[in-house]
């Protein structure tokens, strides 16, 4: 029987499959969550959210620069427990609250998944929408961050939602979609400051849409919609910070970054102008800009610098950073399907179709990829691409939309690539953060290609501690080449300190006996090994 779901016609079995995919994704996420240590950034995110819940959104610590109020959702389990038992207390330095709070982050995963499914339905029809959704839900990167207390996946969820509604507004001119687009834009900006760049892209897409449809500009409607959109965004951002410090005169800000100080000085004639955003929001932009100016690897820095392919920069990034990460960390099956979708889109390119439908996927992906690759000094993990990651899987759906024009061999290959991607994820599960595809054959030498939070986000620290207690014969690494049994975290054998730990590069010349959790290397080094290595 045919019904409607999300405004799309579907067969009853398709809804059951959708629910089944979401259920399995939830189970996989929750089990994964139970096996992972709290990562580096999560305590800072949750601590800021705690202060925000107490009405204190001010940024008082160096690492508060990128933290967001939306993370406060992770405190819901603790709040419920406190309501049920007002005397409820813990003395574990917040560890249980952090673990419980992770389960709430799955809501952002659901939001992203449902918008990917809805968008695919709109573009390709319900029959072709479940397969790209399956790829997304069981993608190593998406699944790994589905329950981590960070803003990366949440920003991707809000980005795909705002772009969908913006597309729908231009197509249907309904105020509902305009308001929803503005609402999700406000949430995206509150969640991750880099989302501000979308405000430069939306007018471009709007003009392209009107140009390909030969629409005449309606000045009154353009002005009205622009004011309404801006007003909603401003209200959402202000509400997120309790309207604290809103309308502080521009000249009264004490900026810490040189660029913001320079802007303030050059615009001295606007010192009287009230800034319509909360002080904490402006402060976050200023602090991030200051970190960008300082660079990584210093005591004043909030990050250790940028590392890729064995190269390191304390201040600056590499234009090819995310290209390399995708090349080694995206499942090969997904990568080939994405390449196939790109080839088919180019082959079937029609300007009218592009302007009406596909620009809302392709332009944001290209735009943010360029911004993050060329104008971003904080290149410290593939997780930053989660802001556009769901859009890639909507694009992959184009392959399945076109499959009906191909024979059985091509169809079997496409379905086989999906299975291959899921299987390669399962080979790593539940240690998904350090996932790399088969293009890196020797997993003990992953660090020669990629590292930082893309491999070690602190998720295996507790596993290393347990192993050390259970196997006391294995010692911690030493600076001087010495025979013995050693347990070495992959980051400790780099040439550069990326984890605030001392490094011991001489272990690179030794062959490890085994690899645990894909980041813990075990060595049994003998005198003979040292002689052969010339140490």
């Amino acid at each position: 029987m045919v019904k409607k779901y999300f405004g799309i016609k579907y067969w009853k079995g398709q809804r059951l499959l959708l629910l089944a995919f979401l259920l399995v994704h939830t189970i996989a996420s929750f089990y994964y969550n139970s096996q992972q240590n709290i990562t580096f950034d999560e305590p800072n995110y949750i601590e800021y959210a705690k202060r925000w819940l107490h009405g204190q959104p001010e940024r008082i610590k160096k690492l508060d620069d990128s933290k967001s109020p939306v993370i406060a959702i992770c405190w819901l389990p603790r709040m419920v427990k406190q309501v049920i038992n007002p005397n409820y207390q813990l003395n574990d330095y917040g560890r249980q609250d952090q673990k419980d709070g992770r389960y709430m982050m799955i809501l952002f995963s659901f939001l992203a998944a449902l918008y990917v499914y809805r968008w695919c339905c709109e573009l390709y029809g319900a029959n072709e929408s479940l397969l790209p959704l399956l790829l997304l839900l069981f993608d190593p990167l998406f699944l790994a961050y589905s329950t981590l207390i960070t803003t990366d996946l949440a920003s991707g969820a809000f980005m795909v939602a705002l772009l969908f509604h913006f597309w729908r507004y231009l197509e249907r001119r309904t105020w509902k979609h305009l308001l929803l687009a503005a609402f999700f834009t406000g949430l995206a900006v509150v969640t991750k400051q880099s989302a501000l760049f979308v405000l430069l892209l939306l007018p471009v897409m709007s003009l392209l849409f009107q140009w390909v449809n030969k629409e005449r500009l309606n000045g009154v409607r353009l002005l009205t919609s622009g004011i309404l959109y801006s007003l909603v965004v401003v209200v959402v951002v202000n509400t997120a910070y309790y309207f604290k410090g809103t309308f502080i005169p521009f000249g009264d800000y004490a900026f810490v970054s040189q660029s913001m100080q320079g802007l303030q000085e050059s615009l001295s004639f606007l010192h009287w102008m009230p800034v319509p955003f909360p002080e904490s929001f402006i402060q976050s932009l200023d602090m991030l800009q200051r970190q960008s100016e300082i660079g990584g690897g210093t005591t004043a820095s909030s990050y250790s610098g940028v590392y890729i392919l064995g190269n390191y920069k304390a201040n600056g990034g590499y234009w090819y950073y995310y290209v390399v990460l995708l090349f080694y960390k995206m499942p090969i099956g997904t990568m080939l399907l994405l390449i196939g979708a790109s080839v088919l889109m180019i082959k079937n390119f029609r300007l009218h179709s592009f302007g009406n439908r596909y620009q809302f996927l392709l332009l944001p992906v290209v735009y943010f990829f360029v911004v993050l690759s060329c104008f971003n000094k904080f290149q410290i993990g593939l997780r930053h691409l989660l802001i556009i990651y769901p859009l890639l899987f909507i694009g992959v759906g184009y392959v399945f939309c076109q499959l009906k024009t191909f024979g059985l061999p091509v169809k079997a290959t496409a379905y086989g690539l999906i299975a291959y991607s899921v299987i390669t994820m399962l080979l790593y599960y539940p240690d998904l953060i350090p996932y790399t595809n088969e293009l890196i054959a020797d997993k003990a030498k992953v660090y020669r290609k990629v590292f930082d939070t893309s491999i070690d986000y602190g998720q295996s620290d507790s596993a290393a501690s347990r192993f050390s207690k259970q196997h006391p014969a294995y010692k911690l690494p030493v600076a001087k080449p010495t025979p013995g049994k050693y347990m070495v975290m992959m980051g400790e054998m780099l040439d550069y300190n990326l984890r605030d730990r001392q490094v011991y590069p001489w272990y690179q010349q030794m062959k490890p006996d085994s690899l645990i959790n894909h980041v813990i290397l075990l060595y049994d080094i003998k005198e003979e090994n040292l002689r052969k290595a010339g140490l």
Side-chain angles (χ1 to χ4, degrees):
M1 185 171 68
V2 180
K3 295 184 179 180
K4 276 198 171 184
Y5 183 58
F6 276 146
I8 305 296
K9 290 183 178 181
Y10 70 97
W11 296 96
K12 183 178 180 181
Q14 291 170 332
R15 184 174 68 170
L16 293 176
L17 276 175
L18 171 63
L19 296 176
F21 286 171
L22 292 175
L23 177 61
V24 176
H25 171 76
T26 303
I27 294 171
S29 296
F30 285 2
Y31 179 75
Y32 158 81
N33 176 34
S34 69
Q35 302 299 304
Q36 305 299 308
N37 186 50
I38 300 298
T39 59
F40 303 150
D41 289 336
E42 288 178 280
N44 295 306
Y45 276 105
I46 200 167
E47 180 61 28
Y48 178 78
K50 181 180 180 180
R51 282 188 271 124
W52 179 85
L53 285 170
H54 286 88
Q56 300 170 357
E58 295 80 13
R59 302 177 188 275
I60 59 177
K61 300 180 181 180
K62 177 178 66 177
L63 294 175
D64 286 345
D65 51 5
S66 60
K67 306 308 178 281
S68 169
V70 301
I71 298 301
I73 195 174
C74 70
W75 279 101
L76 190 57
R78 175 59 186 263
M79 293 165 66
V80 171
K81 292 178 182 178
Q82 209 76 52
V83 170
I84 296 174
N85 179 10
N87 297 319
Y88 179 79
Q89 289 185 347
L90 289 172
N91 296 306
D92 62 349
Y93 302 100
R95 302 289 289 182
Q96 189 60 47
D97 288 331
Q98 293 173 18
K99 289 181 180 179
D100 292 342
R102 277 180 163 186
Y103 294 112
M104 299 305 301
M105 302 303 291
I106 196 74
L107 295 177
F108 297 116
S109 177
F110 287 166
L111 181 66
L114 291 174
Y115 268 100
V116 166
Y117 177 71
R118 183 176 181 182
W119 204 332
C120 285
C121 286
E122 295 275 1
L123 287 176
Y124 316 123
N127 290 334
E128 289 77 22
S129 301
L130 287 171
L131 292 176
L133 178 64
L134 175 67
L135 269 179
L136 174 69
L137 289 175
F138 300 102
D139 177 82
L141 179 65
F142 190 85
L143 188 56
Y145 283 85
S146 61
T147 53
L148 294 191
I149 303 175
T150 68
T151 55
D152 300 293
L153 196 145
S155 67
F158 295 139
M159 183 62 65
V160 69
L162 83 86
L163 289 169
F164 173 83
H165 287 294
F166 187 71
W167 168 45
R168 274 310 184 217
Y169 166 69
L170 292 178
E171 192 173 61
R172 300 178 181 178
R173 300 297 180 180
T174 58
W175 294 112
K176 178 187 77 172
H177 285 294
L178 178 70
L179 293 174
L180 284 171
F183 173 72
F184 282 115
T185 300
L187 288 180
V189 168
V190 168
T191 303
K192 207 167 187 68
Q193 291 79 356
S194 56
L196 278 168
F197 287 104
V198 79
L199 298 178
L200 301 176
L201 181 63
L202 296 181
V204 174
M205 293 192 295
S206 178
L207 289 173
L208 179 57
F209 181 90
Q210 291 185 310
W211 179 65
V212 298
N213 287 286
K214 299 180 180 179
E215 293 183 1
R216 298 182 62 180
L217 287 177
N218 186 325
V220 174
R221 186 178 185 89
L222 182 63
L223 180 63
T224 303
S225 60
I227 292 174
L228 181 59
Y229 187 95
S230 302
L231 182 62
V232 172
V233 172
V234 170
V235 169
V236 170
V237 174
N238 276 279
T239 302
Y241 292 99
Y242 306 115
F243 286 81
K244 276 197 168 185
T246 302
F247 297 127
I248 289 178
F250 180 57
D252 289 356
Y253 275 93
F255 294 121
V256 296
S257 67
Q258 294 179 3
S259 57
M260 294 292 278
Q261 290 172 358
L263 181 66
Q264 191 179 45
E265 183 178 348
S266 61
L267 298 178
S268 58
F269 61 94
L270 293 178
H271 280 191
W272 61 270
M273 185 182 69
V275 178
F277 290 101
E279 182 181 16
S280 184
F281 178 71
I282 300 298
Q283 188 183 16
S284 70
L285 301 177
D286 182 37
M287 292 173 70
L288 286 169
Q289 187 58 36
R290 173 61 175 165
Q291 287 297 323
S292 177
E293 293 168 356
I294 293 173
T298 68
T299 55
S301 303
S302 61
Y303 69 110
S304 299
V306 182
Y307 175 90
I308 197 74
L309 296 178
N311 301 312
Y312 171 82
K313 281 185 182 179
N315 193 354
Y318 299 91
W319 68 266
Y320 53 83
Y321 177 84
Y322 294 104
V323 175
V324 173
L325 283 182
L326 282 176
F327 184 73
Y328 288 122
K329 287 187 63 67
M330 177 175 277
I332 290 178
T334 305
M335 194 187 308
L336 292 176
L337 287 169
L338 188 60
I339 293 172
S342 302
V343 171
L344 288 173
M345 283 187 172
I346 293 172
K347 178 183 177 181
N348 299 329
F349 180 82
R350 298 292 184 275
L351 181 60
H352 188 269
S353 179
F354 173 78
N356 275 286
R357 298 157 70 88
Y358 300 111
Q359 65 149 323
F360 301 95
L361 291 174
L362 301 179
L363 290 186
V365 168
V366 173
Y367 174 69
F368 273 98
F369 200 90
V370 171
V371 168
L372 291 172
S373 297
C374 302
F375 304 100
N376 169 37
K377 294 184 179 181
F378 299 97
Q379 296 175 339
I380 51 176
L382 186 60
R383 57 193 174 91
H384 292 162
L385 282 189
L386 280 169
I387 195 170
I388 54 173
Y389 208 62
L391 300 176
L392 297 178
F393 291 82
I394 300 173
V396 166
Y398 191 78
V399 169
F400 303 105
C401 173
Q402 297 293 315
L403 274 185
K404 56 181 174 290
T405 63
F406 293 94
L408 182 60
V410 174
K411 294 178 180 178
T413 300
Y415 297 137
L417 290 175
I418 295 177
Y420 184 68
S421 290
V422 175
I423 289 170
T424 58
M425 178 276 293
L426 291 174
L427 292 175
Y428 268 77
Y429 183 82
D431 299 307
L432 294 176
I433 288 178
Y435 172 90
T436 54
N437 60 36
E438 295 70 44
L439 294 174
I440 298 181
D442 189 348
K443 301 304 181 182
K445 296 181 180 179
V446 163
Y447 63 88
R448 295 186 178 180
K449 305 293 185 182
V450 297
F451 193 69
D452 54 52
T453 62
S454 298
I455 301 297
D456 188 358
Y457 205 7
Q459 76 281 351
S460 296
D461 285 3
S462 57
S465 179
R466 286 194 302 270
F467 180 88
S468 183
K469 291 178 181 178
Q470 294 168 2
H471 303 84
Y474 282 87
K475 299 177 292 184
L476 297 178
V478 294
K480 182 180 178 180
T482 307
K485 291 185 175 183
Y486 299 98
M487 181 196 74
V488 187
M489 300 295 288
M490 194 172 285
E492 293 176 320
M493 57 189 296
L494 293 171
D495 296 304
Y496 312 99
N497 181 358
L498 300 180
R499 269 215 53 181
D500 295 324
R501 291 179 173 179
Q502 189 167 341
V503 293
Y504 312 93
W506 70 268
Y507 284 96
Q508 295 181 24
Q509 301 179 55
M510 299 289 103
K511 184 177 181 180
D513 295 283
S514 58
L515 178 65
I516 303 174
N517 295 84
H518 303 285
V519 292
I520 306 170
L521 294 154
L522 301 181
Y523 292 88
D524 185 0
I525 299 174
K526 298 178 173 56
E527 288 282 2
E528 181 184 356
N529 304 130
L530 295 175
R531 285 197 302 270
K532 287 183 177 179
L535 297 173

